[in-house]
């Protein structure tokens, strides 16, 4: 992708992915789901997960899977509120960018 991915956009996408699973989801699956829309590496994504956890947007728990612990991430109420804010801001932002691309600055 030509466009750089800012921290806020990455946070929003991760929160949206995690919010789709009521019981939470694990890191590798989050990475795979995010990669469907953005080009990111695991080394980029795990610090995002830690930051969102630190900010109270995600809660973390471990669960046994095939004889080992797997770390799961679940969105919190704070995370839901932040995701809703991101959704509202995205509608405004993407609408303005689309207008510029489609009409140019002279018609805005």
């Amino acid at each position: 992708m030509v466009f750089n991915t800012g921290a806020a956009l990455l946070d929003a996408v991760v929160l949206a992915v995690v919010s789709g699973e009521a019981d939470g989801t694990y890191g590798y699956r989050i990475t795979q789901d995010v990669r469907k829309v953005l080009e990111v590496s695991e080394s980029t994504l795990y610090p995002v997960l830690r930051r969102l956890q630190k900010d109270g947007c995600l809660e973390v728990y471990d669960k046994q899977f095939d004889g080992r612990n797997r770390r799961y991430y679940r969105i919190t109420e704070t995370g839901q509120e932040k995701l809703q804010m991101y959704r509202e801001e995205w509608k405004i932002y993407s609408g303005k960018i689309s207008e510029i691309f489609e009409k140019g600055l002279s018609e805005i």
Side-chain angles (χ1 to χ4, degrees):
M1 181 174 281
V2 176
F3 300 103
N4 288 333
T5 305
L9 180 58
L10 194 52
D11 286 0
V13 170
V14 168
L15 288 173
V17 165
V18 175
S19 73
E21 302 289 336
D23 292 331
T25 186
Y26 55 96
Y28 179 75
R29 177 141 182 230
I30 295 168
T31 301
Q32 297 307 305
D33 289 344
V34 170
R35 282 182 177 165
K36 291 176 184 175
V37 295
L38 298 173
E39 294 178 27
V40 294
S41 66
E42 286 183 46
S43 62
T44 298
L45 198 59
Y46 280 97
V48 172
L49 290 168
R50 284 192 295 275
R51 182 177 66 248
L52 289 170
Q53 177 190 3
K54 182 181 168 218
D55 292 347
C57 295
L58 296 177
E59 60 185 13
V60 177
Y61 66 96
D62 291 336
K63 186 176 175 182
Q64 280 283 347
F65 179 79
D66 285 344
R68 61 183 179 88
N69 277 338
R70 181 183 271 176
R71 179 146 293 175
Y72 280 77
Y73 299 85
R74 181 173 34 223
I75 195 165
T76 63
E77 185 175 326
T78 299
Q80 290 284 5
E81 291 168 3
K82 191 155 195 167
L83 177 58
Q84 184 58 36
M85 184 269 304
Y86 281 136
R87 285 177 173 149
E88 291 167 7
E89 289 291 319
W90 180 254
K91 285 179 188 176
I92 296 166
Y93 176 78
S94 63
K96 289 178 180 180
I97 297 298
S98 292
E99 279 188 65
I100 289 174
F101 283 161
E102 294 168 13
K103 299 176 185 175
L105 280 175
S106 62
E107 294 186 34
I108 295 178

